[in-house]
Structures are given as C-alpha cells and as structure tokens.
Amino acid sequence: MNTLDALKTRRSVRAYKPDAVPAELIDRILEAGTFAPTGMGRQSPIIVAITNKEVRDRLAKINAAVMDAEDDPFYGAPVVLVVLARKDVPTRVYDGSLVMGNLLNAAHELGLGSCWIHRAKEEFETPEGAAILAELGIDASEYEGIGNCILGYADGPEPEAAPRKDDYVYRIV
Ligand SMILES: Cc1cc2nc3c(=O)[nH]c(=O)nc-3n(C[C@H](O)[C@H](O)[C@H](O)COP(=O)(O)O)c2cc1C
C-alpha cells in the first residue's frame, strides 16, 4: 500500500478481536509516531505504550468516568498508545496530534485497526491517571494528554469513509 492509498483507506475501527498485537508491529508504529514533525523540532510529545491488560483496563475506567459512562471506551482493543506533550511547549497540541496521525496511519499500513479516543487530557488530570505516569517516573503535572490511539485486529470489515464535504477545499489560482 502506498502512502496516499493508506491515508485514504484508514478508518476508525470500533470492534476488536482480543488477539495480542506482535511487539514488532507495535515498535514499528511507535517509531512512525516519533518521526512526526514538531514545532521547532522540539519533540514535545511522549508516547506511553500500554499492552499490560491491568493498566489498559485501569485507563479505560478513568476515560469512561470522564464521560460518566461504564462501557469500554477502547472498544476491546488490547493496545493503547497514549500521546502526551510537554505543557511548556506552545505547539504541544499540534505536535501531539501529528504523532497521533502517524500512529493511526502506520497502524493501518501494517494491517491493524486503530481509533483516536479522546479525553486523554482529562485522564491525566486525575490522581489515578497521574499514578500510571508516576509508575514510569513521569510527572503528570508537566504533560498534557493529547489522545489515546487504540490498536488491535479489527473484528469485522473496516467501515466506509463518509463522503467528503463539497466545500472542503478552496482554491486561489
Ligand atoms: C480529536 C479526535 C477525537 C476523537 N475521539 C473519539 C472518541 O473518543 N471515540 C471514538 O469512537 N472516536 C473518536 N474519534 C474518531 C472520529 O470519530 C473519527 O475519526 C471520525 O468519525 C471519522 O471517521 P474515520 O476515522 O473512520 O475517517 C476521534 C477523532 C479525533 C480526530
């Protein structure tokens, strides 16, 4: 699959098989994330790769609680790659969003399903979320959560893309 095909055919996957994702594939996706452009090349983001089921389930509960919900917001996906970025960098949201884009597109290129799951900011503003980072020696007060990229093998066909709106592009020729 070339890059343009991958960009056009990636879709958000919301049903996953429980099968584990090989570490080698996760590593390739993470590497693609780290090569995203960042403002002034500051590399403000970090990525926390969660394959441990107990921690994945803890984070799912924290995320669901933000919405006052109980369903699994990660749709059963076995892997969560959380992107956070340094609060003291003004381009952090842009930087982290590009990392998220790379992760989503790399996952698709490698035959995996993925989806951006929101509320990463709120997750790490809770003591429970901060504790997950503290276990890695990361001070949550220094980072803003940008997004959760869930990963796994799609359970069923990937959905069709919505039609693109007519007035997406304006040209000045
Ligand atoms: C900033 C952002 C936040 C999102 N949050 C969620 C989410 O919390 N849950 C979810 O199921 N999908 C979420 N999505 C996925 C979008 O719903 C999805 O990208 C959109 O419907 C277009 O579908 P596609 O990704 O298949 O093209 C999010 C996407 C973005 C970019």
Side-chain angles (χ1 to χ4, degrees), residues 7 24 42 49-50 60 87 109 119 122 129 134 137 140 142 153 169:
L7 291 173
E24 185 242 340
R42 283 196 182 108
I50 304 174
K87 276 187 187 161
E109 167 104 26
R119 300 168 293 283
E122 293 84 350
E142 293 177 0
Y153 290 100
V169 179

Side-chain angles (χ1 to χ4, degrees), residues 10-12 14 75 115-119 164:
R10 177 216 54 82
R11 297 275 72 79
S12 293
R14 297 191 176 86
Y75 304 110
C115 187
W116 179 317
I117 305 298
H118 210 39
R119 300 168 293 283
R164 301 295 99 174

Side-chain angles (χ1 to χ4, degrees), residues 4-163:
L4 290 182
D5 284 341
L7 291 173
K8 272 182 74 175
T9 57
R10 177 216 54 82
R11 297 275 72 79
S12 293
V13 170
R14 297 191 176 86
Y16 291 87
K17 297 177 181 161
D19 311 26
V21 178
E24 185 242 340
L25 290 189
I26 298 173
D27 287 349
R28 289 178 69 192
I29 293 165
L30 290 167
E31 185 181 35
T34 67
F35 276 87
T38 55
M40 298 183 78
R42 283 196 182 108
Q43 302 185 35
S44 69
I46 56 171
I47 311 168
V48 177
I50 304 174
T51 50
N52 176 290
K53 183 162 169 26
E54 186 259 325
V55 178
R56 177 253 182 248
D57 290 347
R58 264 161 67 194
L59 188 63
K61 281 211 170 73
I62 297 166
N63 188 294
V66 177
M67 296 181 289
D68 232 351
E70 291 192 1
D71 290 352
D72 177 11
F74 299 152
Y75 304 110
V79 181
V80 185
L81 308 180
V82 189
V83 176
L84 304 101
R86 288 198 60 87
K87 276 187 187 161
D88 59 355
V89 176
T91 55
R92 63 188 174 280
V93 176
Y94 312 104
D95 296 346
S97 297
L98 280 170
V99 172
M100 285 291 293
N102 275 20
L103 297 176
L104 297 167
N105 287 309
H108 177 55
E109 167 104 26
L110 295 175
L112 291 165
S114 68
C115 187
W116 179 317
I117 305 298
H118 210 39
R119 300 168 293 283
K121 180 173 188 292
E122 293 84 350
E123 281 167 6
F124 299 100
E125 288 169 351
T126 68
E128 297 82 5
I132 293 175
L133 297 182
E135 286 161 26
L136 296 166
I138 301 165
D139 179 349
S141 71
E142 293 177 0
Y143 287 89
E144 179 170 323
I146 306 297
N148 306 278
C149 172
I150 57 169
L151 290 181
Y153 290 100
D155 192 3
E158 287 195 18
E160 288 284 304

